[in-house]
Amino acid sequence: MTTLEPAAVADLVRNTLAAHKSLFLATAGSTGPWVGGVYFAESGEFTLNLVLEDRGRTLAAIRENPVVSVVVSTGSPMQPFLQAQALAEILGRDEDARARELLVTKVPEAAPFLAAPVTAVRLSIRKWRATDIANGVLPGAELPSPRLP
């Protein structure tokens, strides 16, 4: 299998994020684990912005436990995919507006969701695990965030 230099792993992460509009978000609160699909917009390799339904199970779980996991994937293991653990932060008014702007710029079809009762959330990725089986990147290559230990 292929060993990638850090710059190549960063390129794989950036390209995979740019190629996707949605991700799978896993949470764990008092009602148990939960996985849902959400639209997202990245602001750098290690920061993802999204909105969640105010009364939904996902946001409730984040309020209880802000440690989440994400998978950015088509669902096929033969397409490049990303996995990570992240820290979720519910955003205040000013940051909420910026996250919504980033989201609708990347994913125009998400605009109707913004009219619903939703809250913006920022995910700070601790490190990415990028896998690209078709190009020999198995096991996945890791790209740690420079901001988090």
Side-chain angles (χ1 to χ4, degrees):
M1 293 295 154
T2 304
T3 302
L4 296 179
E5 295 297 320
V9 178
D11 285 344
L12 179 56
V13 167
R14 273 192 299 277
N15 292 338
T16 304
L17 289 172
H20 293 335
K21 294 180 178 186
S22 63
L23 57 79
F24 299 101
L25 177 63
T27 59
S30 60
T31 60
W34 189 252
V35 177
V38 297
Y39 289 125
F40 77 93
E42 64 275 18
S43 48
E45 294 103 341
F46 299 98
T47 305
L48 306 179
N49 303 277
L50 48 101
V51 295
L52 297 172
E53 187 180 353
D54 285 351
R55 294 184 309 265
R57 186 172 177 172
T58 304
L59 189 59
I62 286 172
R63 285 190 168 108
E64 292 177 24
N65 178 8
V67 178
V68 301
S69 292
V70 301
V71 175
V72 180
S73 172
T74 63
S76 168
M78 293 311 290
Q79 298 290 320
F81 63 93
L82 305 174
Q83 299 166 284
Q85 190 177 73
L87 186 62
E89 175 188 2
I90 297 170
L91 300 178
R93 180 176 292 188
D94 292 339
E95 291 177 307
D96 181 288
R98 178 67 180 139
R100 290 168 183 254
E101 179 183 316
L102 289 167
L103 184 61
V104 80
T105 298
K106 179 175 181 172
V107 189
E109 60 269 32
F113 291 106
L114 303 182
V118 294
T119 297
V121 174
R122 176 186 303 130
L123 302 182
S124 296
I125 304 298
R126 294 177 174 174
K127 68 179 168 185
W128 284 113
R129 183 171 183 85
T131 305
D132 186 354
I133 296 170
N135 289 304
V137 184
L138 181 71
E142 292 189 349
L143 182 65
S145 171
R147 297 179 305 211
L148 299 172

